[in-house]
Amino acid sequence: MGNLCCCVQVDQSTVAIREQFGKFDSVLEPGCHCMPWFAGKRVAGHLTLRLQQLDVRCETKTKDNVFVNVVASIQYRALADKASDAFYKLSNTRSQIQAYVFDVIRASVPKLHLDDAFEQKDEIARAVEEELEKAMSAYGFEIVQTLIVDIEPDEHVKRAMNEINAAARLRAAANEKAEAEKIVQIKRAEGEAEAKYLSGLGIARQRQAIVDGLRDSVLGFSVNVPGTTAKDVMDMVLITQYFDTMKEIGASSKASSVFIPHGPGAVRDIATQIRDGLLQGSSVAKH
């Protein structure tokens, strides 16, 4: 209907290429345009100015001979002021861009090891973008952005990399566990040593207190009862403690049978042994 009325409509974000008798005439902007077909003018085609995206998958190998699939995403659009170049100079824009991407990736990635390729994705994308910008600007296209969205090694390589990573993490975990156990054992040993030290210190103070108490008792008794010697008082105290001990052993329902010598001579021997032990303990404590 538009052609019969000699009018043509161009949609937004699109330009139309007008020819006259098969020769390029002008670029039509969005809107309504007069198209006198009887004068040999016609619309040769339309060209979108919208941003387009092309995903390219390129197989190559790295410097350490690992085959990878590099996935690049190219965002491009036609330039309105170069619409005639974009329409006439290229028959297949996507194939042209894909060829340049293959060329740059297969020239860049083989120079890098696999780990370096992952780390230098931005550098690879920049190299692809620079090459495309130089090549496609002559055809009326602008390269907006180039992204390396993925680098996929072979499945066996990925499995090996995961196993290496897992082994490294297990080794680190084992080292941490061993270090923790070492710290626990050291702290336990330090605690046991401190406990033994404090226990020995308590026993020494207890014995010193017993010696001091007996000495005070002996001195007090000797002063209050004239004619008694320190030896007499000590014998009497020791015999009293001896009988108290015998009473506690007999009163305890859970005590096992204990066989000890008993008699006047045995009491004297026990008193002598206890007195000698206390005197030696007092002498050691003073030194």
Side-chain angles (χ1 to χ4, degrees), residues 204-220 234 237 241 278-279 281-283 285-286:
R205 290 178 177 176
Q206 179 186 19
R207 291 176 179 176
Q208 183 63 39
I210 293 173
V211 171
D212 294 340
L214 290 175
R215 183 177 64 250
D216 294 341
S217 298
V218 170
L219 293 176
M234 180 64 72
V237 172
Q241 292 181 347
L278 291 174
L279 292 176
S282 179
S283 176
K286 290 180 180 179

Side-chain angles (χ1 to χ4, degrees), residues 21-82:
F21 296 112
K23 181 180 179 181
F24 170 72
D25 180 62
S26 62
V27 176
L28 303 181
E29 300 289 337
C32 183
H33 301 272
C34 180
M35 188 67 59
W37 54 270
F38 54 84
K41 295 187 178 182
R42 71 180 186 92
V43 175
H46 293 79
L47 182 67
T48 179
L49 301 180
R50 295 176 182 176
L51 184 67
Q52 301 181 67
Q53 178 168 312
L54 172 64
D55 294 328
V56 180
R57 178 181 292 269
C58 176
E59 185 180 18
T60 183
K61 74 172 184 176
T62 61
K63 190 174 182 179
D64 43 356
N65 295 323
V66 177
F67 281 89
V68 295
N69 284 313
V70 180
V71 181
S73 180
I74 313 301
Q75 298 175 354
Y76 68 97
R77 63 187 172 193
L79 298 174
D81 56 345
K82 294 184 177 181

